[in-house]
Amino acid sequence: DIVMTQSPLSLPVTPGEPASISCRSSQSLLDSNGYTYLDWYLQKPGQSPQLLIYFVSYRASGVPDRFSGSGSGTDFTLKISRVEAEDAGVYYCMQGRQAPYTFGQGTKLEIK
Amino acid sequence: QITLKESGPTLVKPTQTLTLTCTFSGFSLSGTGVGVAWLRQPPGKALEWLTLIYWDDDKWYNPSLKGRLTIASDTSRNQVLLTVTNVGPEDSATYYCAHRHSVTSRPVRAFAIWGPGTTVTVS
């Protein structure tokens, strides 16, 4: 199985400040079809996860442009340019390169 | 608009079989590239992918569940069923179903739409 490792696991952020979450995979997520299968999800308190980013850097429908994804191979980053109160929750990276699809441990973003 | 909703028992006894239903609308599971997955999240823990069924009845399972999972679809009722046999306390979790649509020009594997989840306790 591909192991996904996130850091930090806890991230207190002041509104208006930037935030960054790292995700590393134990194997390259670049598929033979040329696509890199790394997604980011946000799970707000009491809610189901929502897709933020797919293919490393493609924002899902309705996701604000303050969210951006980058990276390649095995190292990936989710950045929030200016954190808002509504961004609080747990962020997960997920690899779709091969089954079983696996998630990182989650990063809890807390608003100071 | 695509929606999914999970349903099933909230309490199951150890060694019993758990059956959950995902009822969806806004898409057809017979559409090319469409898939429905089941995932779960134990209390306070991370997400775990369990299984996935595609429009062509191709099925994928997480081997960590050691053959205890079965996924099946009922396209006439717009439902996907998940069966977990011989449940134990470690199967206590919130179970989610989620939609995926992958086409040749855009081979997405992300789960774009999730249901609200259903919580199951094994005790």
Side-chain angles (χ1 to χ4, degrees), chain B residues 8-84:
Chain B
T10 57
L11 182 63
V12 182
K13 296 183 185 302
T15 75
Q16 288 187 336
T17 294
L18 168 66
T19 299
L20 297 174
T21 301
C22 174
T23 302
F24 57 84
S25 64
F27 68 94
S28 170
L29 192 46
S30 56
T32 302
V34 175
V36 173
W38 282 96
L39 307 97
R40 71 180 181 183
Q41 185 174 38
K45 295 190 176 181
L47 296 158
E48 179 182 30
W49 171 80
L50 300 178
T51 180
L52 173 63
I53 188 167
Y54 283 109
W55 83 102
D56 58 359
D57 207 38
D58 191 19
K59 300 168 185 174
W60 293 76
Y61 294 100
N62 191 327
S64 70
L65 277 294
K66 298 182 176 65
R68 295 193 297 124
L69 302 178
T70 301
I71 191 169
S73 65
D74 185 339
T75 52
S76 64
R77 293 186 175 187
N78 281 352
Q79 292 180 333
V80 172
L81 276 64
L82 170 69
T83 300
V84 186

Side-chain angles (χ1 to χ4, degrees), chain A residues 31 33 35 37 39 41 43 47-49 51 54-55 92 94 96-97 99-101 103-105, chain B residues 39 41 45-47 49 52 54 60 62-63 96 100 105-112 114-115:
Chain A
D31 194 82
N33 65 7
Y35 289 89
Y37 285 97
D39 310 318
Y41 296 85
Q43 187 173 30
Q47 297 185 16
S48 52
L51 177 65
Y54 61 98
F55 288 156
Y92 294 96
M94 188 200 87
R97 169 65 178 80
Y101 308 116
F103 291 84
Q105 320 95 301
Chain B
L39 307 97
Q41 185 174 38
K45 295 190 176 181
L47 296 158
W49 171 80
L52 173 63
Y54 283 109
W60 293 76
N62 191 327
Y96 299 98
R100 160 192 287 186
S105 59
R106 189 171 168 268
V108 177
R109 296 177 188 167
F111 300 113
W114 296 59

Side-chain angles (χ1 to χ4, degrees), chain A residues 16-32:
Chain A
E17 293 298 304
S20 180
I21 301 171
S22 172
C23 176
R24 289 188 172 178
S25 57
S26 61
Q27 301 175 33
S28 174
L29 302 186
L30 175 62
D31 194 82
S32 57

